[in-house]
């Protein structure tokens, strides 16, 4: 009995030591991180406080992961409104390359990110904590990521709202979302699109937290280091 107890104690100490060694390694990798999917949204649906609020969300989460010494930008477009021009998501995120918290390169530049050769998949679209996020087939599904963008990363023109009133509405409107896991209900390009899959919808008007959850989202964002 004494030997068994001692063995258990030694095993527990060994496990604790390994955990302590692993933590700095993850933190070191996260410091070099230049891309992540937010582990959570602000909680107000698609009302992010505009682009400024969305960027602040990226910066806060990056800071907690030890990667705060960068200029973080949310991958979001806005539409022309109130005399202000549209903003393209692709123009906000720097030149690249971008890598996740474990060092996997997502894309070397803006062109590759928006082409067929990018490496954005369920396995590489990690959170700032270097953790995977639930996708299609998981419970709950959280694969919808807010973008407000067309496949090439540009803003939508015309009268149809695709940004929940430029990320200030948690009631009426719609937001274009992408699927970070590149999966949908059909085997077509929109279903597989990381940045332009389908508009949000729901009984609250399309932009509430409940609406986003109803189609497989949670108000998550793509965050890129722009410097």
């Amino acid at each position: 009995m004494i030997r068994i107890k001692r063995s258990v104690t030694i095993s527990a100490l060994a496990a604790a030591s390994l955990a302590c060694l692993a933590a700095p390694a993850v933190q070191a990798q996260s410091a070099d991180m230049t891309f992540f999917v937010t582990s959570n949204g602000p909680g107000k649906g698609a009302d992010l406080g505009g682009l400024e609020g969305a960027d602040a969300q990226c910066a806060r989460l990056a800071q907690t992961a030890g990667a705060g010494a960068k200029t973080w930008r949310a991958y979001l477009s806005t539409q022309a409104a109130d005399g202000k021009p549209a903003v393209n998501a692709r123009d906000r995120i720097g030149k690249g390359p971008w890598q996740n918290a474990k060092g996997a390169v997502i894309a070397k530049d803006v062109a590759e990110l928006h082409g067929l050769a990018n490496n954005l998949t369920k396995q590489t679209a990690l959170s700032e904590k270097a953790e995977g996020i639930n996708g299609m087939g998981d419970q709950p599904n959280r694969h919808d990521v807010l973008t407000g963008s067309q496949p090439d990363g540009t803003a939508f023109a015309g009268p149809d709202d695709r940004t929940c009133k430029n990320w200030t509405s948690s009631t009426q409107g719609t937001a274009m979302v992408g699927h970070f896991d590149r999966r949908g209900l059909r085997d077509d390009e929109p279903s597989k699109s990381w940045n332009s899959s389908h508009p949000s919808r729901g009984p609250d008007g399309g932009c509430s937290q409940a609406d986003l959850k109803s189609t497989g989202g949670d108000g998550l964002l793509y965050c890129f280091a722009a410097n």
Side-chain angles (χ1 to χ4, degrees), residues 2-33:
I2 293 173
R3 285 196 298 271
I4 292 173
K5 289 181 179 179
R6 185 182 179 193
S7 176
V8 170
T9 301
I10 292 172
S11 296
L13 289 172
S17 298
L18 287 172
C20 290
L21 289 172
V26 171
Q27 290 173 352
Q29 288 174 326
S30 294
D32 295 328
M33 171 179 68

Side-chain angles (χ1 to χ4, degrees), residues 7-226:
S7 176
V8 170
T9 301
I10 292 172
S11 296
L13 289 172
S17 298
L18 287 172
C20 290
L21 289 172
V26 171
Q27 290 173 352
Q29 288 174 326
S30 294
D32 295 328
M33 171 179 68
T34 50
F35 163 85
F36 63 91
V37 180
T38 57
S39 58
N40 56 73
K44 298 170 62 180
D47 179 1
L48 308 173
L51 291 179
E52 183 177 328
D55 291 345
Q57 174 74 355
C58 288
R60 279 192 297 270
L61 295 179
Q63 181 70 37
T64 64
K70 298 180 177 72
T71 300
W72 288 94
R73 295 285 181 264
Y75 182 92
L76 294 171
S77 295
T78 60
Q79 295 172 269
D82 302 323
K84 297 179 181 179
V87 174
N88 301 320
R90 64 180 294 142
D91 298 334
R92 310 189 70 242
I93 59 174
K95 297 180 179 179
W98 300 282
Q99 65 183 40
N100 68 16
K102 291 188 176 180
V105 175
I106 302 300
K108 69 177 186 292
D109 54 32
V110 173
E112 185 172 87
L113 179 66
H114 293 91
L116 298 177
N118 75 55
N119 186 35
L120 206 163
T121 67
K122 183 181 181 182
Q123 289 70 41
T124 62
L126 303 179
S127 75
E128 75 282 356
K129 302 174 184 178
E131 296 174 346
I133 298 172
N134 282 6
M136 190 172 181
D138 300 322
Q139 295 298 327
N141 179 14
R142 305 171 76 214
H143 73 168
D144 287 354
V145 181
L146 299 171
T147 70
S149 302
Q150 300 185 87
D152 64 354
T154 59
F156 285 90
D160 293 337
D161 183 16
R162 290 293 181 266
T163 61
C164 286
K165 303 187 188 310
N166 286 336
W167 314 114
T168 63
S169 174
S170 60
T171 54
Q172 298 299 314
T174 61
M176 182 58 69
V177 303
H179 291 164
F180 75 79
D181 59 357
R182 319 300 285 270
R183 294 181 61 194
L185 298 176
R186 299 175 302 278
D187 186 24
D188 58 11
E189 286 306 310
S191 295
K192 298 175 184 177
S193 176
W194 69 273
N195 68 338
S196 195
S197 186
H198 61 83
S200 64
R201 58 187 180 275
D204 293 336
C207 298
S208 73
Q209 191 74 7
D211 288 339
L212 299 182
K213 288 185 175 183
S214 73
T215 60
D218 205 13
L220 305 185
L221 305 170
Y222 293 119
C223 298
F224 290 81

